[in-house]
């Protein structure tokens, strides 16, 4: 195998195919097409790439992928989040009164969604890999668009709970499915920022959803529907239209991309493959050992727990920001209250892009966990220490600044710290599943008896932010310690009696693998 001192030759996408195929113990490749071919590794046993790429060709390819992939998934996720969180806007327009919800009924309706979401998280991402994201993501988008329209025709707690359960089934595969889908196209360092380009739709959904809801509520009626029912119907119709379009615009994988040349397809595959030790096929068949590696990786479990804690804040803001604003501005109109929920999300969206952009440039993720958590702590400290409405409204800006970037950072962190495609789909699904357990907790964090200051909800979020800080620091030191420990292992000796499949099934336990911080 090539040693770490060997310098692979730089090639571009136009270069012709090399001579004979390299073996498992190969040295540097002569072309990107060789590196991309199925059955061939693109790294040595230490995880060092056997090929280097022309940065101009890579940049051109990356821009092309950005233009063809990101807009579609970003729009789908925008309306996924709107269809989930618009119940918060509907609450200000007599949702509870019309459905005769009392006491904790509203919280129970929110919880039903997360129960199905959590149950179907990992199965959905397995289905996404099996069916292919190009068909799976548009299909579930169509499903939750239909569910949103159905919500407009609910008249009892039982019917709205049933529809919210189905909404959770369809939406369960969206966030992890898109993250897994994008990992097929992007390098480890590039992925965080690209994930932020669709995850930023979560805070923008809060902003745009508030604007859209306030605009819809100015209508007298939509067909035979009035007030909050119009919100669900109109937003559901928009989602269905986008999902139908995405069946034609979403490309499943580089090999099937009609907008890439053959050389560009080879480059797209080879550059991803060159970061995955012992990988011979970027999209291998479903494999149980790899699936379990993805779920039970120490970094997956630790990062997923951090995402769980953060999501208590993110989902709490989505569902209860309108309620919080109403307690701060109780005498203003509903439309005014809806509009006041918008600015904090705009600020949150900026930081959702900023931290992942810096992560891309420095190829680091964990450090931004450490930076973001104290920002949230400051916001909740203001909520706990002040009853001044302007100070508390200002605190929502601070909290949004720290909380929303974790979606991109956590999914990218678990993706970077497994090797195989199967393990990656499982790791991302596990991370998002944990996150939605946080969402379930969030539905019970701001309770009616705790209004208007919500000491329990704000105290809980201050505690979760503090725990994120401690866990992030501990995870950073553990990864550094474990990487140092692996330096004493003779990789070739450890692998000498193993078959190719046995080596690949090691995944993150491969002695040449290093944790990516």
């Amino acid at each position: 195998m090539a040693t770490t001192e060997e310098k692979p030759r730089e090639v571009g996408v136009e270069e012709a195919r090399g001579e004979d195929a390299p073996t498992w113990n190969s040295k540097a490749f002569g072309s990107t097409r060789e590196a991309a071919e199925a059955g061939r590794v693109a790294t040595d046993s230490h995880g060092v790439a056997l090929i280097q790429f022309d940065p101009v060709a890579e940049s051109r390819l990356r821009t092309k992928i950005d233009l063809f992939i990101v807009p579609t998934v970003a729009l789908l996720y925008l309306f996924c989040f709107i269809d989930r969180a618009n119940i918060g806007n509907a609450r200000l327009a007599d949702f509870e009164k019309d459905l005769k919800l009392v006491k904790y009924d509203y919280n129970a309706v929110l919880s039903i969604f997360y129960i199905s979401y959590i149950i179907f998280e990992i199965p959905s991402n397995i289905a996404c890999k099996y069916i292919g994201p190009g068909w799976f993501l548009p299909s579930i988008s169509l499903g939750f668009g239909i569910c949103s329209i159905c919500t407009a025709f609910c008249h009892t707690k039982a019917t709205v709970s049933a529809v919210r359960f189905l909404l959770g089934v369809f939406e369960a595969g969206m966030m992890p499915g898109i993250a897994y889908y994008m990992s097929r196209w992007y390098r480890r360092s590039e992925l965080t920022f690209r994930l932020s380009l669709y995850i930023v739709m979560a805070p923008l959904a809060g902003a745009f959803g508030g604007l859209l809801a306030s605009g819809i509520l100015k209508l007298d009626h939509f067909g035979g529907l009035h007030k909050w029912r119009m919100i669900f119907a109109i937003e559901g119709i928009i989602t269905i239209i986008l999902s139908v379009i995405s069946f034609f615009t979403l490309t499943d994988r580089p090999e099937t991309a009609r907008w890439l040349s053959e050389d560009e397809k080879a480059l797209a595959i080879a550059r991803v493959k060159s970061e995955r030790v012992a990988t011979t096929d970027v999209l291998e068949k479903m494999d149980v050992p790899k699936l379990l590696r993805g779920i039970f990786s120490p970094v997956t479990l630790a990062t997923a727990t951090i995402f769980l804690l953060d999501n208590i804040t993110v989902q709490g803001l989505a569902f209860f920001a309108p309620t919080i604003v109403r307690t701060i501005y109780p005498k203003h109109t509903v439309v005014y209250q809806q509009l006041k929920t918008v600015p904090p999300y705009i600020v949150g969206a900026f930081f959702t892009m900023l931290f992942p952009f810096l992560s891309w440039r420095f190829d680091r993720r964990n450090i931004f966990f450490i930076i973001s958590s104290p920002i949230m702590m400051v916001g909740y400290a203001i909520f706990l220490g002040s009853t001044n409405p302007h100070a508390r409204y200002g605190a929502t800006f601070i909290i949004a600044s720290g909380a929303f970037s974790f979606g991109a950072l956590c999914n990218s962190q678990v993706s970077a710290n497994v090797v195989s495609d199967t393990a990656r789909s499982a790791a991302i699904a596990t991370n998002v599943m944990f996150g939605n357990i946080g969402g379930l907790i969030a539905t019970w964090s701001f309770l009616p008896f705790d209004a208007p200051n919500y000491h329990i909800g704000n105290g809980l979020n201050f505690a979760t932010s503090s725990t994120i800080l401690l866990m992030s620091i501990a995870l950073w030191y553990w990864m550094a310690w474990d990487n140092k420990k692996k330096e004493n292992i003779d990789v070739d000796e450890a692998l000498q009696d193993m078959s190719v499949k046995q080596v690949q099934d090691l995944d993150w336990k491969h002695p040449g693998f290093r944790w990516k911080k």
Side-chain angles (χ1 to χ4, degrees):
M1 289 189 178
T3 64
T4 54
E5 288 76 28
E6 289 179 295
K7 185 177 180 181
R9 192 161 66 87
E10 186 176 277
V11 296
V13 295
E14 306 298 332
E15 201 160 359
R17 182 186 298 275
E19 296 179 10
D20 296 332
T23 65
W24 174 257
N25 294 315
S26 66
K27 293 191 177 183
F29 287 106
S31 74
T32 53
R33 288 196 179 189
E34 284 185 43
E37 282 184 2
R40 303 190 184 192
V41 292
T43 73
D44 67 12
S45 60
H46 297 270
V48 178
L50 296 173
I51 188 169
Q52 287 184 342
F53 305 100
D54 176 8
V56 175
E58 264 205 282
S59 178
R60 189 164 56 243
L61 173 67
R62 188 169 54 240
T63 301
K64 206 169 185 179
I65 294 170
D66 287 343
L67 293 175
F68 278 89
I69 297 298
V70 174
T72 299
V73 296
L75 282 173
L76 288 178
Y77 190 69
L78 171 66
F79 278 88
C80 167
F81 207 87
I82 286 176
D83 289 345
R84 177 195 314 181
N86 55 12
I87 193 170
N89 301 112
R91 191 183 193 187
L92 296 180
D94 296 333
F95 175 82
E96 291 173 287
K97 178 183 175 183
D98 291 350
L99 295 181
K100 298 179 174 59
L101 303 183
V102 296
K103 294 184 179 179
Y104 303 115
D105 286 347
Y106 177 75
N107 302 77
V109 169
L110 297 183
S111 299
I112 290 291
F113 168 84
Y114 280 104
I115 290 171
S116 57
Y117 205 125
I118 292 164
I119 292 171
F120 286 93
E121 200 77 64
I122 293 177
S124 287
N125 232 33
I126 293 173
C128 183
K129 175 176 171 57
Y130 183 78
I131 297 169
W135 288 99
F136 182 78
L137 296 176
S139 297
I140 61 174
S141 300
L142 182 64
F144 62 69
I146 292 170
C147 286
S148 181
I149 293 176
C150 289
T151 308
F153 297 93
C154 292
H155 293 275
T156 66
K157 177 187 172 184
T159 54
V160 77
S161 296
V163 172
R164 293 290 292 184
F165 183 89
L166 289 174
L167 183 68
V169 172
F170 288 115
E171 289 204 7
M174 184 54 68
M175 185 180 190
I178 294 176
Y180 162 67
Y181 173 55
M182 295 181 81
S183 73
R184 292 182 168 192
W185 297 87
Y186 291 105
R187 283 181 177 270
R188 180 186 68 241
S189 61
E190 301 164 352
L191 185 61
T192 310
F193 181 63
R194 271 68 192 185
L195 291 181
S196 77
L197 293 177
Y198 86 86
I199 291 175
V200 72
M201 294 299 159
L204 288 181
F208 181 65
L211 288 171
L212 186 58
S214 62
I216 291 171
L217 290 174
K218 290 181 180 179
L219 299 174
D220 290 330
H221 62 89
F222 179 70
L225 303 175
H226 300 272
K227 296 188 294 185
W228 60 268
R229 298 182 187 279
M230 296 190 297
I231 296 175
F232 288 108
I234 293 173
E235 292 176 356
I237 290 170
I238 296 172
T239 302
I240 289 174
I241 293 171
L242 288 173
S243 67
V244 171
I245 293 172
S246 68
F247 276 109
F248 301 96
T249 60
L250 209 58
T251 303
D252 196 66
R253 57 192 183 278
E255 295 97 313
T256 61
R258 286 174 292 183
W259 41 271
L260 291 178
S261 68
E262 292 303 314
D263 291 309
E264 288 172 328
K265 290 177 183 179
L267 178 58
I269 296 166
R271 71 195 201 103
V272 171
K273 198 175 179 183
S274 70
E275 293 188 325
R276 301 179 183 179
V277 63
T279 296
T280 54
D281 299 279
V282 173
L283 303 179
E284 80 285 335
K285 292 182 179 180
M286 192 70 69
D287 185 80
V288 174
K290 294 186 183 75
L291 198 70
L292 296 176
R293 289 277 190 256
I295 295 172
F296 295 107
S297 160
V299 172
T300 296
L301 294 175
T303 304
T305 303
I306 288 170
F307 192 42
L308 183 158
L309 297 170
D310 174 71
N311 231 30
I312 294 174
T313 295
V314 171
Q315 301 299 338
L317 278 179
F319 289 124
F320 293 100
T323 303
I324 292 169
V325 168
R326 183 168 59 187
T327 65
I328 298 172
Y329 300 99
K331 297 181 180 179
H332 291 77
T333 65
V334 170
V335 171
Y336 180 86
Q337 291 170 355
Q338 298 276 16
L339 292 174
K340 292 297 283 187
T341 66
V342 174
Y345 284 107
I346 299 297
V347 173
F350 171 77
F351 281 91
T352 300
M353 301 283 288
L354 176 63
F355 288 149
F357 177 79
L358 295 174
S359 171
W360 172 27
R361 291 308 183 189
F362 294 104
D363 194 14
R364 292 290 183 272
R365 291 149 294 277
N366 206 83
I367 187 63
F368 296 102
F369 298 167
I370 298 170
I371 293 171
S372 298
S373 46
I375 298 175
M376 292 188 286
M377 291 167 65
V378 170
Y380 282 109
I382 293 173
F383 263 118
L384 289 169
S386 174
T387 56
N388 182 286
H390 298 290
R392 304 188 88 204
Y393 184 58
T396 62
F397 288 81
I398 298 172
I399 294 165
S401 301
F404 281 103
S405 62
F406 278 84
L409 292 167
C410 289
N411 278 311
S412 179
Q413 173 94 321
V414 299
S415 177
N417 283 289
V418 291
V419 178
S420 66
D421 185 68
T422 300
R424 186 164 289 101
S425 68
I428 293 171
T430 301
N431 180 62
V432 178
M433 182 187 74
F434 272 57
N436 285 292
I437 293 172
L440 178 60
I441 296 169
T443 63
W444 294 94
S445 60
F446 292 89
L447 299 171
F449 73 84
D450 201 28
N453 293 321
Y454 295 106
H455 291 297
I456 294 174
N458 293 319
L460 172 65
N461 281 279
F462 182 83
T464 58
S465 303
S466 304
T467 306
I468 289 172
L469 177 61
L470 296 175
M471 284 192 67
S472 301
I473 294 171
L475 179 59
W476 192 91
Y477 277 107
W478 180 84
M479 286 192 287
W481 171 79
D482 198 59
N483 283 345
K484 189 171 182 62
K485 188 174 69 169
K486 287 181 179 180
E487 291 176 2
N488 300 320
I489 299 174
D490 186 323
V491 177
D492 294 328
E493 183 180 335
L495 301 177
Q496 64 182 356
D497 296 323
M498 293 186 178
S499 67
V500 172
K501 186 180 186 311
Q502 287 174 322
V503 171
Q504 291 175 339
D505 282 346
L506 289 173
D507 208 84
W508 53 267
K509 286 195 171 185
H510 189 290
F513 178 80
R514 297 294 183 270
W515 301 113
K516 316 300 191 299
K517 295 182 287 186

